[in-house]
Amino acid sequence: MKLRTLLVSLLVLLAGVGVQAQSPADAEASMEYYLPQDVEYDESIPTPQEILGMVPGEWHVRHDQLVQYMRAVAGASDRVTLHKFGETYEDRDLVYLTITSPSNHNNIDQIRKEHVSLTNPAKSDELNTAEMPIVLYMGYSIHGDESSGSNASMLVAYYMAAAQGKEIEEKLQNSVILLDPSLNPDGLNRFASWANTHKSKNMVADPNSMELNQRWPSARTNHYWFDLNRDWMLVQHPTSQGRINNFHKWKPNILTDHHEMGTNSTFFFQPGIQSRTHPITPEKNQNLTKAIADYHAEIFDKNKRLYYSQESFDDFYYGKGSTYPDVNGSIGILFEQASSRGHAQESEHGVLKFPFTIKNQFLTSLSTWDASQNLRQEILNYQRNFYKQAKREGEDADIEGYVFGIEEDQARTYHLAELLRRHKVDLYDLKMDITVDGETFKSGSSYVIPSDQKQYRFVKALFEQRTTFTDSLFYDVSAWTMPYAFNLPFAELEGRDYSDNLLGNKVDGLPEFPTGEVLGGESDYAYVFEWDEYYAPRAVNRLLDAGVRVKVASKPFTGVTAEGTQKFDYGTILVPLGPQSVDQEKIHKLVKQAADEDGLTVYSVGTGLTPSGIDLGSGSFEDLEKPSVAVLSGDGASSYEVGEVWHLLDQRFDMPPTLFPMDRTEQADLSRYNVIVMVNGNYDNLSDRAIEKIKRWTHNGGTLITTKYANNWAERNGLANIEYLKDEESEEEKEVTPKPYADMSKARGAQYIGGTIFDTKLDLTHPLGYGYNDEDLTVFRNSTLFVKKAENPYATPLYYTEDPLASGYISDENLEKLSGTAAVVVSDVGSGRVISMTDNPNFRAFWFGTNKLFMNAIFFGQTIDGGAGN
C-alpha cells in the first residue's frame, strides 16, 4: 500500500505559509486545504481531482460527476459499497454509499437486521448495545443551490475510504455510515449549470454579478419546483419516497442535513431554539443534540470559525430532514453554512469563497462522526428506549386508535393509507361497520390504526389537533393534521369505541390502489359516473382529449341503470353515445380505463328518461370543454405554487399545462387557452397592454383563477370584484402603548400565519362544490389576506365558519378577523368568470382535500351562471 503522507507534507512546504496563512475566506481549493494532515491516505483510493480533473470548490460539481466519483470510490475501496435506490423526475440516479469496515461489510445484512431490532420493543432487550455499531445517515444539499454540502460529500467519501490508522479503523468498525451525496439531484444539477456557466476566469465577488443571482425559479427546488426539505413526512416525490424507505430499512441513529443560508451569516448547528421543539420530541433527544454540538464547537474553535447554535431555526415541523428523525427514534441535525452561492461573494466577514463553505460542511461531517463514537452506546440505548416508551405510551393512551376513510372517494383514502405505510405505521382494514360521534365508517373503505404500536408518537403527530403552543413563532407550518389534509372523516377511538375486533387484515407493504368497475357492461345509450372520486378529472380529460362529448349535471337526478335505479348528485358526468363522432367501442374502452386506472364506478344507462330529477337530455346538463390551461410563470409569481399546479396537472391528472412566461402576454394568442391560473405573487411587471389582453380574454369567456395575493392584482385591475377586511379603527385613533424593543420581533411574528388549518362551509350545489359530500371542509392557510363575503349571496361558495380554528396557531386578533370571511369569491366579467381563492388549494402536493376545489374551477368555471358572480 502506498502512502500520501510525504506528498502532502511536501506540498504544504512548497506552498510556504500560503495555505495556512490565508484567512479562511481567502481559501483556495486544494485537497491539502481540506484534509486533516495528521493521518496517512491510501494512494489506491482516487481523489476527486484524479476522477473529475478538479478539486472540490474549483467548479460546482454536476450530479453526473458526483455519481461518477462515488462509483469510483466504491470500486476502489473495500470499505465502500454503492446502492442505487431510485430515479428523479429527470431520470437521474438516486444513490447512497454504505461505508464501514470490511469485516462489517461481510456481515452487513445481519448488522442491519440487529440494528432494526433495536426499534422492536419485543426484541430490543436481547441486544447488547456495547457491541453494536452506530448508524449515521449523512445527507447533503437537499436544496440544489446550497451546494457546498454535495461538494463536501466527495471529501467525506474520500476521507472515510482512504484515511489510515488505528483510530480510523476503530471508527469504521463501530459505525455504519449511509452517505447520501445529493438529496436533490435535479436541483443540484440545475444550479451547477448556472454557477459554472457564469463563472469568470478572474473571480467576481460582486453580489450584483449574474453568477450570484439565479433567474426564476432558482435551483433550490426539484424538477417541479418543490422544496424537498418539506417532504420527508409528506413523501409525495420519488426522491423522498426512496429516501424514507432507506431510512426505515436502516433506522439510523443520527441524520445530518447540510444546508446553506444568507451570505452574511456564519455557521449554525442545532439544537436551535428549545421553546420551539415539538412537544412529542423527548427531552433526551435535545440533550443528545446538545452533546453532539459540543463536538462541532470544538472542531470550529480549532479552525477559528464563527458559529451559533441555540438561536434561530427550530425542531417543530416533522416534515423537515433535521426533524423527521426526532419522531422516529433518531437524532436529526441541521447544519447551515453561509452561502457563497457562486464561487465567491463579498460578505460582512470578507470575501466568502466556495472552498471555505465546503470545508465547513466537511468539518461538521467529521465532528458528527467523532461524536457518534464517543456517545455511541448512549445514543443506541436512547433509540431502544424511545421505541419502548412510545409503545408504552400507545398502550396507555386514552385514544386507543384512529379510524378514517370514506366510501365515496376511495382514492383519497388510499393515498393517506399509502403515506402511513411508507412510514411503517401499523394499519388494518376495518373489519366491520362502526359509527363514532355520528360518523359512519364502512368496512371495505376504511382503515384502523391502533395506538398500541411502536410508531405511536408518529401517529399522534399526524392525527392530533393542536391549538395551544408554548411559543407563537414557527420556522414552518404549525399544523399538518393528515385527515384534514385529505378531507377524510376520521374519529378518535376511546373506551368502548375501540376493540381488537375492529382489526381486519393487516396492511403489509403499500395498500392496493382501489379499482372501480363498469356496472352493466357496454352501453348502447350512455354512461354516467359521479365526480366524487379524486381521479375523476383525469378520466374526463382523457375522454375530452379523445374527442368525446362530455356533459356535467347541474342538478341531481335518479337514473335507470343496468343495476337498477341509482341516485346521482350535482356534478355527475354524462357520456351520451348518440351525439358522438367517436365510435362506441373506443368510448367503452375509455370508460373501462377510467374504472381500472382512476377507481371510478361507471354506470351503463339504457334510457334518457329518469324516475325523478332531470332527464338526460335536459338543458341542466352542461357541455364541457377540454381544459387548456396556462399558468402565468416567471419573476413575481411564486415558483413553489406554480410548481404545485404544474405537478398536480401533469403528474396526477395527465393534463399538460402551459407554463406561460409573463413577458409573452403581449405577443401571445390567449384564445388558445380557456383557463388562466395566477398563483400567489406580484404581477406588477405586467404591462398595461398585457393587462388589457387578459381583461379582454376573460370578458370573452375565459376562466381566470387567482390565489392568495394574486387576488390583489385582480382586484386592482378591475377583474375581481372583492373587498378586503380592514381594521375598524384607524391608526390615528389607536392608543399606542410603548413596548420593549427586544420584544418587537416576537410580537410581529406572532401575527404571522405560518401554516394553520381552518374550518369552512362549502355550497355543495355550486359547480365549485361538485363531488364533495359534506359541506364541512378543512382548508390550509398561510396568509393574512382577509376577504369579505360577496354582496351577491350566490358568489361566495366557500367561507370560513364563525369559529374556524381546527388545528395550529393563529393569534386572537387574526382569528377574530378571519371568522366568517370568504375563502372563495366568484366574479362575473362579461362572459367569463374570475375565481378568487384566498388560500392555496394545492399546498405541497399533499393537501388532497382541496385539490378538487381547484380542479372544479378548471373544469366547471365555464358553467357558473353569470347571475352567481359578484
Side-chain angles (χ1 to χ4, degrees):
M1 178 178 69
K2 297 181 180 179
L3 303 177
R4 292 178 183 258
T5 306
L6 180 60
L7 176 60
V8 170
S9 300
L10 285 172
L11 287 170
V12 171
L13 289 171
L14 287 172
V17 295
V19 170
Q20 294 188 4
Q22 291 169 334
S23 71
D26 291 330
E28 301 296 339
S30 69
M31 292 300 291
E32 289 68 42
Y33 166 68
Y34 293 120
L35 295 174
Q37 296 172 19
D38 57 352
V39 298
E40 300 171 341
Y41 296 91
D42 182 350
E43 198 172 47
S44 69
I45 306 300
T47 67
Q49 188 173 20
E50 290 170 335
I51 298 300
L52 305 179
M54 67 174 184
V55 175
E58 287 184 310
W59 295 90
H60 283 256
V61 70
R62 302 191 313 267
H63 183 259
D64 61 299
Q65 293 175 310
L66 188 62
V67 173
Q68 180 186 2
Y69 180 67
M70 296 304 171
R71 292 190 188 280
V73 171
S77 174
D78 57 1
R79 300 175 178 176
V80 182
T81 57
L82 181 142
H83 313 268
K84 177 181 174 181
F85 63 93
E87 295 177 345
T88 70
Y89 286 119
E90 296 178 11
D91 293 330
R92 291 188 172 86
D93 287 350
L94 294 167
V95 302
Y96 72 92
L97 303 180
T98 300
I99 306 175
T100 189
S101 67
S103 61
N104 282 347
H105 269 298
N106 292 334
N107 195 33
I108 198 70
D109 287 340
Q110 184 61 30
I111 289 173
R112 185 189 66 79
K113 289 176 182 177
E114 285 188 0
H115 184 79
V116 171
S117 292
L118 200 62
T119 69
N120 183 347
K123 297 181 178 180
S124 59
D125 282 338
E126 302 170 7
L127 301 170
N128 182 3
T129 55
E131 298 178 355
M132 296 176 67
I134 194 168
V135 178
L136 283 71
Y137 188 108
M138 294 186 170
Y140 299 90
S141 300
I142 199 164
H143 296 142
D145 57 3
E146 299 176 6
S147 58
S148 58
S150 285
N151 283 267
S153 73
M154 294 186 287
L155 299 167
V156 177
Y158 174 76
Y159 178 80
M160 291 182 172
Q164 300 295 299
K166 183 179 179 182
E167 182 182 353
I168 298 294
E169 291 172 357
E170 288 179 353
K171 285 183 179 180
L172 290 166
Q173 187 63 29
N174 290 327
S175 57
V176 175
I177 298 97
L178 310 174
L179 191 152
D180 193 332
S182 174
L183 296 167
N184 179 7
D186 294 345
L188 180 76
N189 215 68
R190 194 158 72 245
F191 183 65
S193 176
W194 178 271
N196 293 337
T197 296
H198 296 96
K199 177 186 177 183
S200 301
K201 182 182 73 171
N202 300 295
M203 204 71 72
V204 177
D206 180 356
N208 295 312
S209 168
M210 185 171 283
E211 179 188 354
L212 307 177
N213 293 278
Q214 301 169 72
R215 292 297 177 258
W216 191 96
S218 92
R220 174 184 176 88
T221 50
N222 75 345
H223 175 78
Y224 285 100
W225 308 336
F226 280 77
D227 184 342
L228 291 176
N229 195 41
R230 304 300 187 267
D231 196 48
W232 290 76
M233 178 175 65
L234 311 178
V235 286
Q236 297 302 310
H237 302 282
T239 45
S240 307
Q241 291 166 2
R243 193 157 291 120
I244 291 301
N245 186 59
N246 294 336
F247 182 95
H248 288 288
K249 180 179 177 180
W250 269 100
K251 305 285 190 184
N253 300 101
I254 301 172
L255 185 147
T256 62
D257 188 19
H258 295 258
H259 288 253
E260 292 178 4
M261 55 183 169
T263 303
N264 290 320
S265 303
T266 57
F267 194 99
F268 168 84
F269 49 79
Q270 281 181 316
I273 299 174
Q274 294 298 281
S275 64
R276 300 184 201 168
T277 301
H278 198 291
I280 290 177
T281 299
E283 183 179 0
K284 180 68 171 178
N285 171 285
Q286 294 296 290
N287 291 338
L288 287 169
T289 306
K290 292 175 188 176
I292 295 170
D294 290 340
Y295 289 82
H296 310 320
E298 181 181 357
I299 202 168
F300 270 14
D301 289 343
K302 182 179 179 181
N303 284 270
K304 300 180 177 61
R305 265 48 173 178
L306 291 174
Y307 58 89
Y308 63 101
S309 181
Q310 293 194 51
E311 56 182 297
S312 187
F313 302 102
D314 65 29
D315 259 345
F316 188 84
Y317 173 53
Y318 285 133
K320 297 186 300 182
S322 59
T323 313
Y324 177 80
D326 298 343
V327 75
N328 282 282
S330 304
I331 299 165
I333 302 176
L334 171 67
F335 296 117
E336 293 275 359
Q337 162 64 47
S339 180
S340 65
R341 272 301 179 262
H343 293 83
Q345 184 167 177
E346 297 168 7
S347 80
E348 292 176 358
H349 304 97
V351 174
L352 179 63
K353 292 191 175 181
F354 192 34
F356 177 74
T357 69
I358 293 171
K359 184 168 183 178
N360 286 345
Q361 304 281 21
F362 175 63
L363 290 174
T364 49
S365 299
L366 298 189
S367 59
T368 303
W369 199 19
D370 286 341
S372 73
Q373 301 304 298
N374 295 326
L375 301 170
R376 178 178 60 85
Q377 190 169 3
E378 185 178 2
I379 292 174
L380 288 167
N381 288 337
Y382 165 72
Q383 185 177 50
R384 170 164 55 194
N385 291 333
F386 176 95
Y387 282 100
K388 289 173 65 176
Q389 291 169 7
K391 181 74 160 54
R392 282 197 295 269
E393 288 174 15
E395 290 171 353
D396 298 337
D398 292 334
I399 299 171
E400 297 180 61
Y402 303 86
V403 59
F404 69 90
I406 188 170
E407 188 175 29
E408 292 85 0
D409 187 353
Q410 295 190 53
R412 274 186 289 125
T413 305
Y414 158 81
H415 281 299
L416 178 53
E418 176 194 30
L419 183 151
L420 292 166
R421 285 300 301 144
R422 289 191 185 279
H423 298 290
K424 307 306 177 186
V425 170
D426 289 344
L427 185 68
Y428 295 82
D429 294 324
L430 177 64
K431 193 173 184 178
M432 62 185 73
D433 296 355
I434 59 168
T435 300
V436 184
D437 296 331
E439 190 76 56
T440 298
F441 300 89
K442 294 190 175 181
S443 175
S445 59
S446 301
Y447 293 96
V448 181
I449 308 168
S451 295
D452 184 4
Q453 61 171 292
K454 68 177 186 178
Q455 281 292 72
Y456 167 71
R457 285 171 171 164
F458 184 78
V459 171
K460 182 179 178 181
L462 293 191
F463 279 78
E464 69 172 1
Q465 302 142 71
R466 186 180 297 272
T467 56
T468 57
F469 303 87
T470 57
D471 198 310
S472 60
L473 301 182
F474 301 87
Y475 185 73
D476 200 82
V477 301
S478 66
W480 51 86
T481 311
M482 283 298 164
Y484 287 156
F486 287 78
N487 188 34
L488 289 172
F490 75 105
E492 299 170 344
L493 302 175
E494 301 180 70
R496 288 181 299 177
D497 289 332
Y498 180 85
S499 79
D500 288 344
N501 293 332
L502 296 176
L503 305 183
N505 293 326
K506 187 174 184 179
V507 181
D508 292 322
L510 298 180
E512 293 185 6
F513 183 81
T515 57
E517 56 183 327
V518 181
L519 294 176
E522 188 169 354
S523 176
D524 286 326
Y525 186 79
Y527 298 100
V528 294
F529 57 87
E530 294 201 281
W531 190 251
D532 299 6
E533 281 288 344
Y534 183 81
Y535 288 104
R538 186 165 66 190
V540 169
N541 188 70
R542 193 184 298 117
L543 286 161
L544 292 169
D545 193 48
V548 178
R549 286 178 67 90
V550 178
K551 294 172 177 283
V552 61
S554 61
K555 295 179 180 178
F557 64 97
T558 300
V560 179
T561 76
E563 302 292 311
T565 58
Q566 177 73 28
K567 291 182 178 179
F568 294 97
D569 210 345
Y570 296 93
T572 294
I573 299 300
L574 169 66
V575 184
L577 296 178
Q580 299 287 358
S581 59
V582 180
D583 67 73
Q584 289 188 197
E585 184 179 353
K586 182 174 182 179
I587 293 175
H588 178 69
K589 287 181 179 178
L590 289 169
V591 297
K592 182 70 167 60
Q593 186 178 359
D596 295 341
E597 298 181 11
D598 305 320
L600 305 184
T601 299
V602 183
Y603 295 85
S604 293
V605 176
T607 176
L609 192 64
T610 64
S612 62
I614 58 176
D615 292 325
L616 301 195
S618 168
S620 294
F621 278 96
E622 308 257 11
D623 286 324
L624 292 180
E625 296 179 24
K626 182 181 183 301
S628 179
V629 183
V631 186
L632 289 198
S633 308
D635 287 337
S638 165
S639 61
Y640 291 151
E641 296 189 23
V642 170
E644 287 161 355
V645 174
W646 179 20
H647 175 270
L648 179 75
L649 297 181
D650 191 33
Q651 285 288 324
R652 297 261 175 85
F653 296 115
D654 289 337
M655 297 169 61
T658 296
L659 302 180
F660 190 97
M662 278 187 269
D663 58 10
R664 289 188 57 84
T665 308
E666 285 191 24
Q667 296 81 25
D669 176 12
L670 297 185
S671 66
R672 64 185 297 156
Y673 312 106
N674 51 25
V675 177
I676 292 178
V677 179
M678 300 176 71
V679 300
N680 183 40
N682 182 334
Y683 294 86
D684 289 343
N685 289 335
L686 285 171
S687 67
D688 290 342
R689 185 179 174 189
I691 293 170
E692 286 305 313
K693 283 192 69 174
I694 293 174
K695 284 184 175 181
R696 188 163 56 251
W697 172 87
T698 307
H699 194 276
N700 290 337
T703 299
L704 178 65
I705 303 171
T706 56
T707 66
K708 293 174 66 175
Y709 289 98
N711 293 313
N712 292 351
W713 176 90
E715 188 270 336
R716 286 197 314 269
N717 288 283
L719 281 161
N721 189 8
I722 56 178
E723 184 179 354
Y724 295 104
L725 188 71
K726 297 178 181 177
D727 289 334
E728 302 263 342
E729 189 178 16
S730 69
E731 292 295 328
E732 291 78 11
E733 294 172 333
K734 288 183 179 178
E735 183 178 343
V736 177
T737 303
K739 297 179 180 179
Y741 175 79
D743 294 343
M744 181 177 66
S745 177
K746 188 170 184 178
R748 289 181 174 178
Q751 299 307 314
Y752 176 69
I753 303 175
T756 307
I757 304 171
F758 298 98
D759 292 323
T760 64
K761 291 291 184 182
L762 176 64
D763 178 3
L764 301 181
T765 72
H766 195 281
L768 295 184
Y770 289 171
Y772 287 96
N773 292 279
D774 191 332
E775 66 175 0
D776 295 317
L777 177 64
T778 46
V779 303
F780 177 87
R781 162 178 278 257
N782 60 356
S783 76
T784 52
L785 185 73
F786 306 117
V787 175
K788 292 183 178 181
K789 290 175 182 171
E791 290 184 5
N792 184 330
Y794 307 106
T796 310
L798 185 72
Y799 59 90
Y800 289 94
T801 64
E802 292 302 317
D803 185 20
L805 180 60
S807 186
Y809 170 81
I810 185 174
S811 69
D812 291 339
E813 300 96 313
N814 282 335
L815 182 59
E816 184 178 353
K817 291 178 184 177
L818 182 65
S819 300
T821 60
V824 176
V825 173
V826 178
S827 300
D828 177 35
V829 180
S831 300
R833 306 290 175 264
V834 177
I835 301 172
S836 305
M837 298 183 171
T838 61
D839 311 312
N840 173 13
N842 307 313
F843 183 65
R844 291 181 182 169
F846 84 108
W847 210 266
F848 282 75
T850 49
N851 286 163
K852 187 182 292 291
L853 195 70
F854 183 76
M855 298 308 294
N856 286 355
I858 288 177
F859 277 87
F860 308 135
Q862 57 172 309
T863 73
I864 299 173
D865 191 301
N870 209 32

